[in-house]
Amino acid sequence: MTPDLSVEIAGLKLKNPVLTASGTFGFGLEYADVVDLRRLGAIVTKSVTLQPRAGNPPPRVYETPSGMLNAIGLQNPGLETVLAEKLPALAEYGVPVVVSIAGEAIEEYVELARCLDASPHVAALEINISCPNVKRGGMQFGTDATLTRELVEQVRQATALPLITKLSPNVTDIVSIARAAVEAGSDALSLINTLLAMSIDVERARPRLGNVTGGLSGPAIKPVAVRMVWEVAGAVSVPLIGMGGIMTAADALEFILAGATAVAVGTGTFVSPAAPTAIIEGLKDYCVRHGVNRISELVGKAQRT
């Protein structure tokens, strides 16, 4: 038996449910020599802003027990370069490309959506309203249901592309933010982004990151992420993309069983660039062992038992 790993998210048909998480896989091209990009369900790009960004001052990354702190600060080459160079090059691999967008004001998100809507190389947009490592924008929108609603509504009017809103875990009630995004027109949700955190060098008596705080990712946050996917899956009817500490197929299955239609691998690609393709094989093996014909049958199964 060869199980069917295909899934559908907001009309976007994927050959398997394994994506790359924005911010950890660059624009995909950086990994092309070590990973078969054609095997992925989709590639989610690094978040793109209207103008190039240099990011935060170093140090920007610090390894923690079972995780990683980062404060990159949305470093990227800007929309013009992405449209002219990155997206055409990615198109050669025949994999759906989801472009993550970020801005400091709603108007910037709207302009990004409008410009990317005209590109033939974009399959969907991810609205990043949850980056904890910038002083303006980012979490400002993702931690306030009213601002979430306003932003998503205006982006929705600017594009016909499927919209995926990326949610922040740095809230007291993620369900209220999720509902606001869906009611405003988001076709799907991705969750979670990183947890706001910090570490101090006790010998120097100084924060280890140049930005002082950063986003915690990796296996340490997986139980939090699975819980949030479970909660949101029980509250909204749109597809979810689960992420947060996924290193193996078993990790991915936790998210799927909790209610995620697809998963995204982030920090895991730093440990092993081949993690996404290994997870695809692991999902296939699990389905064979458990007599599952279609992986979509597993979505939310833990909620039904």
Side-chain angles (χ1 to χ4, degrees), residues 76 151 214 231 250:
N76 75 97
L151 188 154
E231 290 179 345

Side-chain angles (χ1 to χ4, degrees), residues 24-36:
T24 58
F25 208 68
F27 289 90
L29 303 168
E30 298 88 338
Y31 280 79
D33 290 339
V34 291
V35 179
D36 185 357

Side-chain angles (χ1 to χ4, degrees), residues 188-278:
L189 303 171
S190 59
L191 63 158
I192 58 175
N193 208 322
T194 55
L195 288 158
L196 187 62
M198 72 177 293
S199 178
I200 293 176
D201 183 333
V202 297
E203 298 300 326
R204 295 173 53 245
R206 297 288 301 163
R208 295 186 187 275
L209 296 179
N211 193 57
V212 180
T213 62
L216 177 65
S217 62
I221 75 167
K222 189 185 75 174
V224 176
V226 172
R227 185 265 297 177
M228 289 189 165
V229 166
W230 177 285
E231 290 179 345
V232 172
V236 301
S237 58
V238 301
L240 307 182
I241 302 170
M243 65 195 72
I246 297 175
M247 309 289 286
T248 66
D251 295 331
L253 283 159
E254 284 196 56
F255 284 88
I256 293 169
L257 292 168
T261 297
V263 296
V265 183
T267 301
T269 57
F270 294 150
V271 178
S272 171
T277 51

Side-chain angles (χ1 to χ4, degrees), residues 15 25 27-43 85-97 121:
K15 58 191 167 190
F25 208 68
F27 289 90
L29 303 168
E30 298 88 338
Y31 280 79
D33 290 339
V34 291
V35 179
D36 185 357
L37 301 182
R38 293 176 177 84
R39 296 194 60 197
L40 300 172
I43 294 172
E85 300 175 14
K86 304 296 186 182
L87 294 180
L90 265 182
E92 299 297 318
Y93 293 92
V95 176
V97 175
H121 307 309

